Each structure stands twice: as structure tokens, then as C-alpha cells.
Amino acid sequence: MRTAAGRPAYRRCLAPLKPYVPGGTAEDVARHRPARISKMGSNENPLGPGRLAVEAVREAAARISVYPDPSAGLLRDALARGTGKSPGNFLVANGSDEVLVLIAATYLNPGDNAVVSEHTFFNYEFAARVFDGEVRAVPTRGLRCDLAAMRDAVDARTRIVFLCNPNNPTGLHVGAAELEAFLRSLPRETLAVVDEAYAEYADAPDFPDCAALTDRFHNLLVTRTFSKAHGLAGLRIGYAMAQEALIQDLRQVKLPFNVNAAAQAAALAALGDREHLARTLELNRLGKDLLTRALAAKGWEVLPSQGNFLCFRPTVVTALEVGEALFRQGVIVRPLGRFGLEDWIRVTVGTPAQNAHFLEALEGPAGA
Ligand code: PMP
């Protein structure tokens, strides 16, 4: 098939896709020549990678003429040891983003649908549309995922339900009892994907134990990443955790060498670096508390977050104006218009210096 312009036509299902707009980069903001730059728009680890991961990458560099282990065996062994599961319960991928695409590639036939919540991570919709799936976005209730309404949206052609927990960008979470009831209510043929990209940060007593739930629910698949708490976003490595049958399904569509050797080595080292993880979580806890109090003291609404970021709603000035004023002063945050939350901003919890920069900049020409 040819377009009128006489060039190859891309598939019609791609037409509704909007290009992904990443968080601002340090290079973008440098154009304004701010005295400092604080990158707080992409939920990265403000401490950077751990020392052990960096050493592992250095060592791996000497072996990059050799293809990586296609099954990421050592890493899967370590993940199994850490969770009391077996290596067959894990599939490692090029970021958890790749897992989402593999899921859609495995389970969606054209015209099938995926159910998602409103105001959530965009890549569920992306993955479904690329494989010609329909997307049913279910309105939230007071910004919380409405699991009852999501269950009601499931029909005979629903293959996948995506749930982000805690949710990006709100930081809100679904508790264990609610999640379990939801999983029990789903048809046996519908896959439930719980994206736990930020689960390491969650400390709510009722936060679900999805590793245990995957033992009980044959149709539950959990995605996790080394990009956030483990500080390896630039290497691209994440994984799926599920019963073996689901993992074997996904393996059919995985490219053999999807995860590079440096990423595998770094992730293995990061899993063993308890100290870096503990420092990361403590820094996040203190910073989240500080920023929550400071934003609330301005009379702004701040959502209780289980992640490494906060979602807040400025008053008086618009979210876009606040975002732009912060940007000019070297602070990169994420105004949430693209998530359907025009009045809200997401800020990643930073180092104490970054948090102070953000709060100072808010008092400055942000006009707030
Ligand atoms: N899920 C959520 C909720 C995320 O926020 C992100 C990263 N922005 C991802 C998945 C993708 O992470 P990765 O770097 O592992 O591809």
C-alpha cells in the first residue's frame, strides 16, 4: 500500500499515537544559563548509580566484543534468590518499557482491547496501539484508579488490564486487599499487569506483596525496573515476574540479545548493593517529607506519594507557568498536561541541594 505522497504507508493503528515527550534534559535547560541545574522531571535516582554497579560496568567493558547472555541467567538466579521464586519466573528486558511491548506483542490480536486507568503512564496505551489493540481508559475517582470501573470495562475482547502501582504520575497506590479482590474478579483469560516501577520506595503497610500474589494468580504479571531505586536508567534494564507459563509466552517474542552485557552486570551488582538502596530510600523518605510540607505550607494540594516523586497543584499561577519559571531557573519538573492533569506538576524528589534549589526557585520568579 502507498500513500498519496508515494511512500510506504504506516499501519493505521499507529495514527492515534502521540510522540513520546521525555522529561527535559540538562542540555535543554542549559540554554537559559542558570547558575545550577536540578533535573527533577524524570524520576531518576538523584544519588546516581551505586559504586558496585559502576565497577561492574567497568569490568564488563573489557568483554563487550562478546554477545550478552540471551537469558540473563545470573541475574535471573539472583532475582529468584531475592524473592524465594525460581529463575523461570523472570524475564529480563531492555527496560520495563520493553516488557510492556513484549506483553502486547504476545497477547493482543488486532481488535482486542487493553484496559488502563486515566492519568497513568503512557506506555501501556503505546504498547497496545502498536499491536492494533483498542485502549479503554477508565476515569479515575478522586484521581485514584477505580478498580471496580476497570473491572466493568473488561469484556470478552479484553486481553490485558494494566495497573501502575504506585501510579506514575500521581504517586497514589492501590492497597493489598483491593488489588486481591480485583484479581479475583477478573476472568481467568485476562492478563493483569501490575507495573511496580516504583515499588521499592513504597512503605505503606497495605502495599501489596506482588511477588507472593504471582504464586497464587496464574494471570498476574508484574513488571519492575532497575531504572529508579537502583539508579540504572541509562543502561535500560527491567524485568517481568510471573508464573512460568506466562514467562515462556513472552520469551517467544523476545529478541535474543535484548539486554546488553553491561546492563546485566550492573543490575546484578546493584541487587547486591544493599547500602546504596538503603541510602536511596532514606534520602527519598526525608526529601519527600520536606517537599510535601513545603508545598502544603503554600496552600497547594500535594498527593500522598508512594514513589520517588510528588504530584502537586499550584494555585494562583498555572502549572505550565510554574514549570516554565522553574525551567528558566534551572529546575526541570514535569507539568502533567500530557497525562490529562493540566493543573498538576510532578517533581522528582532530589538530593537536599536539589530540593532546596526547587523550593528557592518556587519562591522566585515562578510568581507563586
Ligand atoms: N513504568 C513506569 C510507571 C515508569 O514510570 C517508567 C519510567 N518512566 C517505566 C515503567 C519504564 O521504565 P524503564 O526505564 O524500566 O523502561
Side-chain angles (χ1 to χ4, degrees):
M1 183 173 156
R2 296 255 164 189
T3 61
R7 60 183 186 82
Y10 58 73
R11 287 154 55 233
R12 270 191 298 274
C13 61
L14 304 183
L17 285 177
K18 299 185 202 113
Y20 179 75
V21 179
T25 65
E27 289 74 23
D28 296 333
V29 78
R31 283 184 287 113
H32 294 284
R33 303 196 181 285
R36 284 179 283 167
I37 294 174
S38 295
K39 191 169 182 299
M40 304 168 82
S42 299
N43 297 345
E44 294 145 339
N45 187 329
L47 286 180
R51 184 179 51 81
L52 298 183
V54 174
E55 277 169 15
V57 171
R58 281 213 187 92
E59 277 173 30
R63 300 189 301 274
I64 56 175
S65 55
V66 178
Y67 282 105
D69 175 357
S71 75
L74 292 178
L75 182 58
R76 283 171 44 247
D77 289 347
L79 289 167
R81 280 196 302 277
T83 52
K85 304 176 90 69
S86 95
N89 296 124
F90 297 91
L91 178 131
V92 182
N94 195 261
S96 51
D97 276 345
E98 190 193 13
V99 181
L100 300 175
V101 171
L102 295 178
I103 291 167
T106 305
Y107 296 108
L108 274 186
N109 287 300
D112 287 342
N113 69 69
V115 169
V116 301
S117 176
E118 225 185 359
H119 312 314
T120 195
F121 188 50
F122 178 71
N123 285 356
Y124 317 131
E125 177 172 345
F126 170 84
R129 289 210 189 279
V130 166
F131 290 94
D132 213 352
E134 282 172 25
V135 176
R136 304 209 162 152
V138 176
T140 52
R141 253 177 183 242
L143 295 184
R144 289 187 177 274
C145 292
D146 185 344
L147 291 188
M150 287 172 76
R151 171 64 188 88
D152 287 346
V154 170
D155 67 12
R157 296 216 62 181
T158 303
R159 295 284 159 267
I160 313 168
V161 179
F162 288 102
L163 181 71
C164 188
N165 203 30
N167 186 48
N168 176 14
T170 58
L172 300 171
H173 77 288
V174 168
E178 206 191 343
L179 177 62
E180 210 178 310
F182 176 68
L183 292 172
R184 260 192 311 224
S185 77
L186 281 181
R188 291 180 58 81
E189 301 74 28
T190 304
L191 178 70
V193 175
V194 178
D195 179 344
E196 291 201 330
Y198 301 95
E200 289 90 344
Y201 297 100
D203 56 7
D206 70 338
F207 193 79
D209 177 357
C210 268
L213 287 176
T214 55
D215 289 338
R216 291 175 38 213
F217 290 93
H218 74 284
N219 55 344
L220 170 63
L221 188 149
V222 178
T223 65
R224 292 198 182 149
T225 183
F226 286 93
S227 297
K228 309 295 176 184
H230 292 293
L232 302 181
L235 282 175
R236 313 302 306 126
I237 181 160
Y239 61 94
M241 173 173 64
Q243 292 192 7
E244 284 203 42
L246 292 184
I247 296 294
Q248 275 167 15
D249 287 347
L250 293 191
R251 223 179 263 150
Q252 302 176 87
V253 294
K254 179 183 100 56
L255 289 172
F257 303 114
N258 59 332
V259 184
N260 74 75
Q264 293 189 32
L268 187 60
L271 268 190
D273 195 344
R274 303 232 147 254
E275 195 192 320
H276 186 255
L277 182 62
R279 279 183 61 213
T280 296
L281 301 187
E282 181 65 0
L283 184 87
N284 188 62
R285 193 178 61 77
L286 295 173
K288 195 157 61 176
D289 196 45
L290 173 98
L291 294 180
T292 301
R293 280 187 282 112
L295 291 165
K298 294 170 80 64
W300 293 358
E301 193 176 345
V302 188
L303 300 178
S305 169
Q306 286 289 298
N308 66 342
F309 53 88
L310 284 170
C311 187
F312 65 96
R313 177 158 59 172
T315 46
V316 190
V317 275
T318 69
L320 215 55
E321 284 164 344
V322 172
E324 280 166 11
L326 289 173
F327 195 75
R328 283 194 298 276
Q329 296 172 85
V331 180
I332 305 170
V333 295
R334 183 69 81 107
L336 295 175
R338 282 183 69 88
F339 289 80
L341 296 167
E342 282 75 15
D343 298 338
W344 297 79
I345 293 181
R346 191 191 70 197
V347 60
T348 306
V349 176
T351 59
Q354 289 174 329
N355 296 336
H357 184 192
F358 165 72
L359 292 175
E360 279 162 34
L362 272 187
E363 296 308 322

PDB file of all heavy atoms in Angstrom, residues 290-304:
ATOM      1  N   LEU A 290      10.043  16.582  53.347  1.00  0.00           N
ATOM      2  CA  LEU A 290      10.379  18.014  53.319  1.00  0.00           C
ATOM      3  C   LEU A 290       9.576  18.732  52.231  1.00  0.00           C
ATOM      4  O   LEU A 290       8.954  19.775  52.472  1.00  0.00           O
ATOM      5  CB  LEU A 290      11.880  18.170  53.032  1.00  0.00           C
ATOM      6  CG  LEU A 290      12.362  19.594  52.812  1.00  0.00           C
ATOM      7  CD1 LEU A 290      12.949  20.125  54.119  1.00  0.00           C
ATOM      8  CD2 LEU A 290      13.401  19.676  51.697  1.00  0.00           C
ATOM      9  N   LEU A 291       9.574  18.171  51.030  1.00  0.00           N
ATOM     10  CA  LEU A 291       8.886  18.834  49.915  1.00  0.00           C
ATOM     11  C   LEU A 291       7.376  18.850  50.143  1.00  0.00           C
ATOM     12  O   LEU A 291       6.709  19.837  49.832  1.00  0.00           O
ATOM     13  CB  LEU A 291       9.210  18.126  48.589  1.00  0.00           C
ATOM     14  CG  LEU A 291      10.662  18.210  48.110  1.00  0.00           C
ATOM     15  CD1 LEU A 291      10.838  17.456  46.792  1.00  0.00           C
ATOM     16  CD2 LEU A 291      11.105  19.659  47.937  1.00  0.00           C
ATOM     17  N   THR A 292       6.846  17.769  50.685  1.00  0.00           N
ATOM     18  CA  THR A 292       5.400  17.728  50.950  1.00  0.00           C
ATOM     19  C   THR A 292       5.019  18.857  51.899  1.00  0.00           C
ATOM     20  O   THR A 292       4.054  19.592  51.667  1.00  0.00           O
ATOM     21  CB  THR A 292       4.995  16.372  51.577  1.00  0.00           C
ATOM     22  OG1 THR A 292       5.369  15.334  50.670  1.00  0.00           O
ATOM     23  CG2 THR A 292       3.490  16.300  51.831  1.00  0.00           C
ATOM     24  N   ARG A 293       5.804  18.997  52.969  1.00  0.00           N
ATOM     25  CA  ARG A 293       5.464  20.028  53.955  1.00  0.00           C
ATOM     26  C   ARG A 293       5.603  21.423  53.343  1.00  0.00           C
ATOM     27  O   ARG A 293       4.764  22.293  53.556  1.00  0.00           O
ATOM     28  CB  ARG A 293       6.324  19.873  55.213  1.00  0.00           C
ATOM     29  CG  ARG A 293       5.743  18.763  56.110  1.00  0.00           C
ATOM     30  CD  ARG A 293       6.424  18.645  57.462  1.00  0.00           C
ATOM     31  NE  ARG A 293       7.705  17.958  57.343  1.00  0.00           N
ATOM     32  CZ  ARG A 293       8.887  18.529  57.525  1.00  0.00           C
ATOM     33  NH1 ARG A 293       8.971  19.799  57.849  1.00  0.00           N
ATOM     34  NH2 ARG A 293       9.988  17.837  57.401  1.00  0.00           N
ATOM     35  N   ALA A 294       6.667  21.639  52.571  1.00  0.00           N
ATOM     36  CA  ALA A 294       6.897  22.968  51.995  1.00  0.00           C
ATOM     37  C   ALA A 294       5.799  23.338  50.990  1.00  0.00           C
ATOM     38  O   ALA A 294       5.319  24.478  50.963  1.00  0.00           O
ATOM     39  CB  ALA A 294       8.267  23.017  51.324  1.00  0.00           C
ATOM     40  N   LEU A 295       5.384  22.373  50.183  1.00  0.00           N
ATOM     41  CA  LEU A 295       4.346  22.669  49.182  1.00  0.00           C
ATOM     42  C   LEU A 295       2.991  22.868  49.860  1.00  0.00           C
ATOM     43  O   LEU A 295       2.230  23.770  49.497  1.00  0.00           O
ATOM     44  CB  LEU A 295       4.271  21.531  48.152  1.00  0.00           C
ATOM     45  CG  LEU A 295       5.499  21.421  47.230  1.00  0.00           C
ATOM     46  CD1 LEU A 295       5.520  20.079  46.501  1.00  0.00           C
ATOM     47  CD2 LEU A 295       5.517  22.568  46.220  1.00  0.00           C
ATOM     48  N   ALA A 296       2.729  22.048  50.872  1.00  0.00           N
ATOM     49  CA  ALA A 296       1.452  22.186  51.587  1.00  0.00           C
ATOM     50  C   ALA A 296       1.408  23.518  52.327  1.00  0.00           C
ATOM     51  O   ALA A 296       0.346  24.147  52.434  1.00  0.00           O
ATOM     52  CB  ALA A 296       1.269  21.015  52.558  1.00  0.00           C
ATOM     53  N   ALA A 297       2.571  23.981  52.809  1.00  0.00           N
ATOM     54  CA  ALA A 297       2.611  25.258  53.536  1.00  0.00           C
ATOM     55  C   ALA A 297       2.248  26.427  52.617  1.00  0.00           C
ATOM     56  O   ALA A 297       1.832  27.483  53.084  1.00  0.00           O
ATOM     57  CB  ALA A 297       3.996  25.466  54.142  1.00  0.00           C
ATOM     58  N   LYS A 298       2.405  26.232  51.319  1.00  0.00           N
ATOM     59  CA  LYS A 298       1.997  27.282  50.371  1.00  0.00           C
ATOM     60  C   LYS A 298       0.501  27.227  50.098  1.00  0.00           C
ATOM     61  O   LYS A 298      -0.022  28.018  49.312  1.00  0.00           O
ATOM     62  CB  LYS A 298       2.739  27.094  49.035  1.00  0.00           C
ATOM     63  CG  LYS A 298       4.232  27.323  49.138  1.00  0.00           C
ATOM     64  CD  LYS A 298       4.951  26.896  47.863  1.00  0.00           C
ATOM     65  CE  LYS A 298       4.853  27.929  46.754  1.00  0.00           C
ATOM     66  NZ  LYS A 298       5.511  29.201  47.060  1.00  0.00           N
ATOM     67  N   GLY A 299      -0.150  26.253  50.710  1.00  0.00           N
ATOM     68  CA  GLY A 299      -1.590  26.096  50.484  1.00  0.00           C
ATOM     69  C   GLY A 299      -1.882  25.284  49.231  1.00  0.00           C
ATOM     70  O   GLY A 299      -3.008  25.270  48.732  1.00  0.00           O
ATOM     71  N   TRP A 300      -0.866  24.602  48.706  1.00  0.00           N
ATOM     72  CA  TRP A 300      -1.055  23.816  47.489  1.00  0.00           C
ATOM     73  C   TRP A 300      -1.392  22.377  47.836  1.00  0.00           C
ATOM     74  O   TRP A 300      -0.903  21.835  48.838  1.00  0.00           O
ATOM     75  CB  TRP A 300       0.219  23.831  46.638  1.00  0.00           C
ATOM     76  CG  TRP A 300       0.530  25.181  46.073  1.00  0.00           C
ATOM     77  CD1 TRP A 300      -0.217  26.327  46.207  1.00  0.00           C
ATOM     78  CD2 TRP A 300       1.672  25.535  45.298  1.00  0.00           C
ATOM     79  NE1 TRP A 300       0.386  27.358  45.562  1.00  0.00           N
ATOM     80  CE2 TRP A 300       1.554  26.908  44.981  1.00  0.00           C
ATOM     81  CE3 TRP A 300       2.774  24.840  44.817  1.00  0.00           C
ATOM     82  CZ2 TRP A 300       2.489  27.597  44.226  1.00  0.00           C
ATOM     83  CZ3 TRP A 300       3.720  25.516  44.057  1.00  0.00           C
ATOM     84  CH2 TRP A 300       3.573  26.874  43.757  1.00  0.00           C
ATOM     85  N   GLU A 301      -2.203  21.770  46.997  1.00  0.00           N
ATOM     86  CA  GLU A 301      -2.572  20.374  47.226  1.00  0.00           C
ATOM     87  C   GLU A 301      -1.408  19.464  46.805  1.00  0.00           C
ATOM     88  O   GLU A 301      -0.845  19.632  45.717  1.00  0.00           O
ATOM     89  CB  GLU A 301      -3.824  20.036  46.414  1.00  0.00           C
ATOM     90  CG  GLU A 301      -4.443  18.728  46.829  1.00  0.00           C
ATOM     91  CD  GLU A 301      -5.753  18.441  46.077  1.00  0.00           C
ATOM     92  OE1 GLU A 301      -6.311  19.374  45.456  1.00  0.00           O
ATOM     93  OE2 GLU A 301      -6.174  17.287  46.104  1.00  0.00           O
ATOM     94  N   VAL A 302      -1.066  18.515  47.653  1.00  0.00           N
ATOM     95  CA  VAL A 302       0.004  17.555  47.359  1.00  0.00           C
ATOM     96  C   VAL A 302      -0.569  16.162  47.584  1.00  0.00           C
ATOM     97  O   VAL A 302      -1.129  15.890  48.649  1.00  0.00           O
ATOM     98  CB  VAL A 302       1.215  17.733  48.306  1.00  0.00           C
ATOM     99  CG1 VAL A 302       2.379  16.852  47.846  1.00  0.00           C
ATOM    100  CG2 VAL A 302       1.633  19.179  48.404  1.00  0.00           C
ATOM    101  N   LEU A 303      -0.421  15.290  46.604  1.00  0.00           N
ATOM    102  CA  LEU A 303      -0.966  13.936  46.772  1.00  0.00           C
ATOM    103  C   LEU A 303       0.014  13.085  47.585  1.00  0.00           C
ATOM    104  O   LEU A 303       1.230  13.237  47.434  1.00  0.00           O
ATOM    105  CB  LEU A 303      -1.199  13.290  45.403  1.00  0.00           C
ATOM    106  CG  LEU A 303      -2.175  14.022  44.487  1.00  0.00           C
ATOM    107  CD1 LEU A 303      -2.282  13.298  43.131  1.00  0.00           C
ATOM    108  CD2 LEU A 303      -3.553  14.137  45.138  1.00  0.00           C
ATOM    109  N   PRO A 304      -0.515  12.200  48.438  1.00  0.00           N
ATOM    110  CA  PRO A 304       0.387  11.323  49.194  1.00  0.00           C
ATOM    111  C   PRO A 304       1.028  10.323  48.242  1.00  0.00           C
ATOM    112  O   PRO A 304       0.338   9.572  47.567  1.00  0.00           O
ATOM    113  CB  PRO A 304      -0.553  10.615  50.177  1.00  0.00           C
ATOM    114  CG  PRO A 304      -1.916  10.716  49.576  1.00  0.00           C
ATOM    115  CD  PRO A 304      -1.941  11.943  48.707  1.00  0.00           C
TER     116      PRO A 304
END
